[in-house]
Amino acid sequence: MELWFSEYQTKNVKLSFRVKDLVYTKQSKYQYISVFDTEDFGRVLMLDDTVMLTTRDEFMYHEMISHVPLLTHQNASKVLIIGGGDGGTVREVLKHPVKEVHLVEIDEEVVETSKKYFPTISCGLSDERVKIFYEDGIEFVKNHKGYDIVIIDSTDPVGPAVGLFSAQFYKDVSNALSEDGIMAAQTETPVLFPELVKRIYDGISSAFTFTNPYTAVVPTYPGAFWTFTMGSKSIDPLSREIIPETNFDTKYYNPKLHKAYFTLPPFLEDIILPVEE
Ligand code: SAM
């Protein structure tokens, strides 16, 4: 007998995994959590039947959402991560000489699930520099300030994550950053959801002096081609000299390509950039 788990990426497109072992399921207060082992993508975490990560390709997403802003800033001490309860972004951020990392995750069950079933991803969550807040990130940013970096590692804009994509939220994030602070957010796929990507870009550019989208391949996310967007208050990310080596290992992020990640394919420029008169 074959057991398959599928994500409907749109109502006409499905990504399906043949399940080797069903490991864990739980309905939390916020979402349906499932963990299962697959033949080709290792262990998978789904929330509400949407892929959050697989142990095969998670490094592509977690490295790119972390190292691009941190190595652009170059002197970050205090970092805020909103969402990201699996711990993958925390693990990557801790490769930098940061002093404090605040993780604001609305659903404690996601953190507990990752600690139990994804040890290679959640390994940084017990680091003494990390403090976890089980709160709504939308409210949290209104009352906490002074961060060098804010990373928005959220689910798609449904349920409690809807407000994490609003222009007002990006303004609150900007206010929570120090004067040379930088935000990096996961900003969805232009392959399947171009209007959404454009709306998010407009929201971020209404809140920041510099708005710079960059891209990565994440095979198990819809469209397989993902955008992130950096919002910066005073540092022009593209004017920074980037040291061509890191003093830690990476598997996807390459400092020699740092600036190239911001060079967008023309179809994406056409989606997001304002039309010149
Ligand atoms: N890398 C993933 C992706 O793009 O599919 C995101 C992973 S991470 C598990 C996303 C987390 O955001 C979830 O655990 C979810 O509970 C959390 N989240 C959603 N809305 C939130 C909110 N308003 N405040 C804080 N965390 C939130």
Side-chain angles (χ1 to χ4, degrees):
M1 197 182 81
E2 288 188 1
L3 177 61
W4 289 77
F5 255 51
S6 297
E7 169 182 350
Y8 275 92
Q9 299 185 334
T10 71
K11 67 181 185 343
N12 308 306
V13 178
K14 274 202 290 195
L15 173 68
S16 299
F17 301 90
R18 187 146 74 91
V19 177
K20 213 158 79 170
D21 283 308
L22 181 57
V23 176
Y24 178 72
T25 60
K26 175 152 191 176
Q27 177 64 54
S28 79
K29 185 174 161 204
Y30 297 97
Q31 50 218 339
Y32 183 70
I33 301 172
S34 48
V35 177
F36 54 92
D37 288 332
T38 67
E39 294 289 347
D40 297 331
F41 274 95
R43 186 161 283 185
V44 180
L45 171 68
M46 278 192 173
L47 296 180
D48 285 340
D49 295 334
T50 301
V51 174
M52 291 296 111
L53 61 87
T54 81
T55 53
R56 181 104 194 222
D57 66 355
E58 56 85 14
F59 64 94
M60 301 174 168
Y61 173 89
H62 291 129
E63 290 186 8
M64 290 298 281
I65 204 168
S66 307
H67 302 317
V68 177
L70 277 147
L71 289 168
T72 300
H73 188 285
Q74 298 174 0
N75 192 26
S77 164
K78 197 171 166 188
V79 177
L80 170 64
I81 300 166
I82 294 177
D86 52 78
T89 301
V90 168
R91 180 195 65 200
E92 295 304 316
V93 166
L94 290 174
K95 293 179 177 174
H96 299 261
V98 295
K99 293 204 174 80
E100 255 181 296
V101 179
H102 289 173
L103 177 76
V104 181
E105 164 59 63
I106 204 166
D107 191 346
E108 185 169 359
E109 293 290 345
V110 174
V111 173
E112 291 309 315
T113 302
S114 190
K115 281 186 178 161
K116 191 154 181 200
Y117 298 109
F118 294 91
T120 60
I121 294 167
S122 58
C123 48
L125 293 173
S126 52
D127 189 285
E128 58 184 17
R129 290 169 288 172
V130 178
K131 188 163 178 203
I132 304 179
F133 299 82
Y134 294 112
E135 294 179 33
D136 184 340
I138 299 162
E139 292 307 311
F140 187 92
V141 283
K142 293 180 185 159
N143 308 313
H144 294 79
K145 310 244 176 283
Y147 295 100
D148 302 308
I149 299 281
V150 177
I151 296 176
I152 319 296
D153 182 5
S154 68
T155 37
D156 301 329
V158 284
V162 170
L164 296 176
F165 292 84
S166 73
Q168 183 55 52
F169 172 70
Y170 295 127
K171 288 191 178 92
D172 293 337
V173 169
S174 176
N175 291 332
L177 283 163
S178 50
E179 264 326 294
D180 63 353
I182 290 179
M183 176 196 82
Q186 76 88 349
T187 49
E188 305 285 321
T189 179
V191 178
L192 293 171
F193 309 119
E195 294 84 9
L196 173 62
V197 168
K198 168 70 174 153
R199 180 169 66 73
I200 299 170
Y201 175 85
D202 288 346
I204 295 177
S205 54
S206 73
F208 287 91
T209 312
F210 298 98
T211 303
N212 294 93
Y214 60 98
T215 65
V217 170
V218 186
T220 55
Y221 284 177
F225 179 66
W226 208 250
T227 70
F228 303 86
T229 303
M230 195 181 278
S232 174
K233 288 173 82 163
S234 62
I235 297 172
D236 174 0
L238 302 181
S239 71
R240 284 265 143 149
E241 275 305 312
I242 304 294
I243 302 161
E245 279 169 23
T246 55
N247 56 6
F248 50 83
D249 288 337
T250 55
K251 291 191 282 184
Y252 187 96
Y253 173 81
N254 181 340
K256 295 185 187 72
L257 291 172
H258 185 104
K259 286 200 179 163
Y261 296 130
F262 292 95
T263 305
L264 305 180
F267 89 97
L268 178 52
E269 280 187 337
D270 289 346
I271 290 167
I272 54 177
L273 296 182
V275 182
E276 305 219 354
E277 298 289 314

